[in-house]
Amino acid sequence: MATTADTPEPAVSALCRRIRELRSERDWTLEQLSRASGVSRSMLSQIERNQANPTLAVALRIAQAFGLTIGELMGEAATGSTLEVIRAADNRHNYRSDETCSIRTLSPLHLEKDVEFYEVRLAPRGTLDSAAHFRGTREFLTVTRGKVRVRSGNDASELETGDSVNYPADVPHSIENTGRGEAVLFLVVIYR
């Protein structure tokens, strides 16, 4: 039986369903997936509703946003090693990079969004300002080089190399480099 535009192929329907499920598992909005993949919000909405058949290039960008291969996006079991290596040169893991702040994701991009692990580098006087995350979210920070001031709500603390702090991240919070050189931090975000 021939497939028409009104009768999508089973593989396309499965792909559309899988994208919707992955986004839901990660608690991402369509806008968040759009930013991560470079695919327009309206196109993603059409794909999830099985009203558009994504091209290979679009499917690849969506898969990469989730940290998956095309085969994994289609639901095929991953084969090979159980080790997941994140290479320093892999630009897909650069979350932010500008003159004052760079953030690199150290946790696999396809993990459930309950724990995230980052390397943060702040130039002198650089600041990472964050809006409140979901209720119950906490951040754990370790300074591996430099000096920073951490603020969470109305509380603040100065930290130096080797110091660690954990704090509520469900309120506005910030990390400011107060030293003369680059500050390097490891940041773990835990969502409840």
Side-chain angles (χ1 to χ4, degrees), residues 140-165:
F140 295 81
L141 177 99
T142 299
V143 180
T144 61
R145 182 170 63 213
K147 294 168 58 173
V148 298
R149 178 181 300 116
V150 175
R151 292 187 190 279
S152 172
N154 294 323
D155 297 322
S157 186
E158 303 286 332
L159 298 142
E160 297 184 9
T161 301
D163 292 344
S164 294
V165 64

Side-chain angles (χ1 to χ4, degrees), residues 2-3 7 17 25 28 42 61 72 93-94 123 131 135 162 165:
T3 302
T7 312
R17 187 173 44 257
E25 286 172 8
W28 286 1
S42 62
R61 291 197 320 234
E72 290 168 334
H93 293 272
N94 290 342
R135 189 168 157 235
V165 64

Side-chain angles (χ1 to χ4, degrees), residues 36-138:
S37 67
V39 177
S40 75
R41 184 187 178 286
S42 62
M43 173 58 80
L44 290 169
S45 177
Q46 290 175 359
I47 291 169
E48 286 191 2
R49 289 181 285 130
N50 208 11
Q51 294 177 343
N53 184 354
T55 65
L56 182 58
V58 167
L60 178 60
R61 291 197 320 234
I62 294 169
Q64 289 173 335
F66 289 127
L68 303 173
T69 66
I70 289 284
E72 290 168 334
L73 181 64
M74 291 298 297
E76 295 175 8
T79 59
S81 177
T82 59
L83 301 176
E84 292 186 57
V85 177
I86 297 173
R87 302 285 180 200
D90 187 346
N91 290 332
R92 291 179 301 152
H93 293 272
N94 290 342
Y95 180 75
R96 172 181 167 184
S97 186
D98 57 43
E99 313 80 51
T100 61
C101 179
S102 70
I103 303 172
R104 185 167 69 97
T105 304
L106 301 176
S107 50
L109 298 173
H110 62 83
L111 281 181
E112 296 286 331
K113 286 298 184 183
D114 55 352
V115 177
E116 297 171 350
F117 183 34
Y118 298 98
E119 175 190 61
V120 179
R121 294 176 175 269
L122 291 171
R125 297 189 184 152
T127 302
L128 175 59
D129 291 313
S130 299
H133 297 309
F134 297 108
R135 189 168 157 235
T137 303
R138 294 195 64 83

